[in-house]
Amino acid sequence: MARKMKAAIFVEPNRIVLDEKPMPDVGPLDALIRITTTTICGTDVHILKGEYPVERGLTVGHEPVGVIEKLGSAVEGYQEGQRVIAGAITPSGHSAACLCGCHSQDGAGTRHGFKPMGGWRFGNTIDGAQAEYLLVPDAMTNLAPIPDALSDEQVLMCPDIMSTGFSGAERGRVKIGDTVAVFAQGPIGLCATAGARLMGATRIIAVDAVPARMEIARRMGADHVVDFSKVDPVDEIMRITDGRGVDVAIEALGRQETFEAALRVLRPGGTLSSLGVYSGDLTIPLGPFHAGLGDHTIVTTLCPGGKERMRRLMEVIASSRLDTRPLVTHRFPLDRIEEAYDLFANQRDGVLKVAITP
């Protein structure tokens, strides 16, 4: 009889439940890891609400920290019992997209080797991390050993939140001396703020309305914090920049109003770096778009993955350049994950991120 494990399973819109399912079989290139810590992402809430479709019966979650339980027969360079993370994006490493550096759009097995969001497999196209065990495909591409000195909670943001937030600054090509606005200071927006600072921005303007998030934004590197519940953020950013606008605007929420505000504060020739997950059509307003003649760049991002990306992010943590532990505001055992979803989806009690431990 197959061994069973506990897992958070998508049943139908507005219903993710903790249930049992069989332990996965380990193929030659796979690794089975025992989850020691994971978390819930805003994208999981989109799945919960039915705004992003996944198969019924899928285990959700894409942010794993764990210990190698079993290695596939062809996997080399790792040991059972080793502490590891895997990125939310798990590229095959051999598709045309991967070989072009577009790991997130990995199309392994497709005709041309590209697939939109194809690198996002955990909790999307294969079972995810909110479980006692997780099967990691293409283990030699995706498993990153955790330095002994780092705790689970220190590296918990690396698989997705740090990688995504930083990529907003990276894709925006933030330069030394830039002025950057970051719209929304949830976990990803906070990491975008930190990423902009690490890349050399010298004036960072964070936009939010939650006092606790605004305070953490300052700790993460924001020079100005704009409370959109008290002032018009576009007017205030233009005032702060003396009418110039910002070099880079990062949208970290996924709504029409924040996307539009990010465009309105851009200087001519500036870059709008979009991180949000949108659940409806976007409209580009004609005025701030300057009829298409403003030399603006609009870029979108699905966070990079793979073991080298994870190694670099853990280096940032190990070097004390950034401490993401303040983002973990609540902790739950896996047995109470339905309660954790209720808290997180409804954004109660000042929640930023929850740590889930089986």
Side-chain angles (χ1 to χ4, degrees):
M1 177 181 271
R3 288 174 61 197
K4 299 275 191 177
M5 66 175 187
K6 295 176 182 176
I9 298 168
F10 175 75
V11 178
E12 60 188 0
N14 298 310
R15 194 162 169 234
I16 288 175
V17 301
L18 187 69
D19 205 344
E20 287 192 336
K21 63 183 354 181
M23 294 270 287
D25 296 324
V26 182
L29 295 174
D30 302 333
L32 183 69
I33 67 172
R34 175 174 56 83
I35 296 294
T36 54
T37 310
T38 189
T39 183
I40 299 173
C41 178
T43 307
D44 299 326
V45 175
H46 283 291
I47 291 170
L48 171 67
K49 293 179 177 179
E51 295 169 348
Y52 183 88
V54 299
E55 296 249 347
R56 297 183 182 215
L58 188 78
T59 302
V60 287
H62 49 261
E63 298 163 275
V65 182
V67 175
I68 296 174
E69 180 83 4
K70 185 177 179 181
L71 292 169
S73 59
V75 177
E76 299 176 352
Y78 299 90
Q79 297 177 346
E80 292 175 0
Q82 190 172 21
R83 294 175 65 225
V84 291
I85 63 172
I89 303 303
T90 52
S92 65
H94 60 75
S95 69
C98 289
L99 296 174
C100 287
C102 297
H103 300 96
S104 305
Q105 315 303 325
D106 178 22
T110 65
R111 182 181 171 197
H112 298 292
F114 289 86
K115 181 182 178 185
M117 303 178 292
W120 173 29
R121 294 191 271 182
F122 291 146
N124 182 22
T125 57
I126 64 173
D127 280 340
Q130 291 167 17
E132 292 180 296
Y133 293 90
L134 171 71
L135 189 72
V136 179
D138 300 300
M140 288 188 289
T141 302
N142 292 300
L143 287 184
I146 302 170
D148 291 340
L150 298 183
S151 69
D152 278 17
E153 286 197 8
Q154 280 180 288
V155 302
L156 181 58
M157 300 302 132
C158 294
D160 182 4
I161 301 304
M162 264 182 80
S163 190
T164 300
F166 280 17
S167 68
E170 290 165 316
R171 288 275 286 154
R173 296 185 177 178
V174 173
K175 298 189 238 356
I176 292 170
D178 269 356
T179 296
V180 177
V182 184
F183 287 84
Q185 295 295 296
I188 285 175
L190 288 166
C191 285
T193 296
R197 183 186 185 190
L198 286 167
M199 292 188 71
T202 49
R203 183 160 51 175
I204 300 171
I205 305 164
V207 181
D208 209 284
V210 179
R213 296 185 177 202
M214 294 159 68
E215 177 56 33
I216 295 178
R218 292 188 188 278
R219 290 162 59 185
M220 291 287 198
D223 301 286
H224 302 271
V225 177
V226 174
D227 184 342
F228 69 79
S229 69
K230 296 179 178 177
V231 296
D232 181 291
V234 173
D235 290 345
E236 183 64 8
I237 290 169
M238 296 308 286
R239 184 193 69 77
I240 291 169
T241 61
D242 193 28
R244 176 184 183 274
V246 302
D247 300 289
V248 180
I250 301 173
E251 197 287 328
L253 188 60
R255 291 188 179 171
Q256 171 70 36
E257 55 266 40
T258 43
F259 181 91
E260 187 170 324
L263 185 61
R264 289 184 183 278
V265 300
L266 272 187
R267 64 160 171 82
T271 298
L272 194 167
S273 180
S274 171
L275 292 174
V277 178
Y278 302 93
S279 52
D281 289 343
L282 283 174
T283 300
I284 295 179
L286 184 64
F289 194 52
H290 302 309
L293 303 175
D295 283 327
H296 293 127
T297 300
I298 298 176
V299 296
T300 62
T301 303
L302 175 56
C303 68
K307 65 183 180 184
E308 173 61 8
R309 175 70 169 183
M310 296 301 106
R311 183 196 68 79
R312 287 174 177 268
L313 295 177
M314 288 190 287
E315 284 287 332
V316 174
I317 300 295
S319 66
S320 300
R321 296 295 195 277
L322 178 63
D323 183 4
T324 59
R325 284 174 292 185
L327 300 185
V328 179
T329 54
H330 295 73
R331 293 162 182 85
F332 292 85
L334 181 62
D335 286 342
R336 292 171 56 200
I337 195 165
E338 293 174 42
E339 183 182 339
Y341 261 102
D342 183 59
L343 172 81
F344 187 75
N346 291 290
Q347 289 292 293
R348 291 199 308 271
D349 194 26
V351 65
L352 273 173
K353 289 288 279 186
V354 298
I356 308 292
T357 51

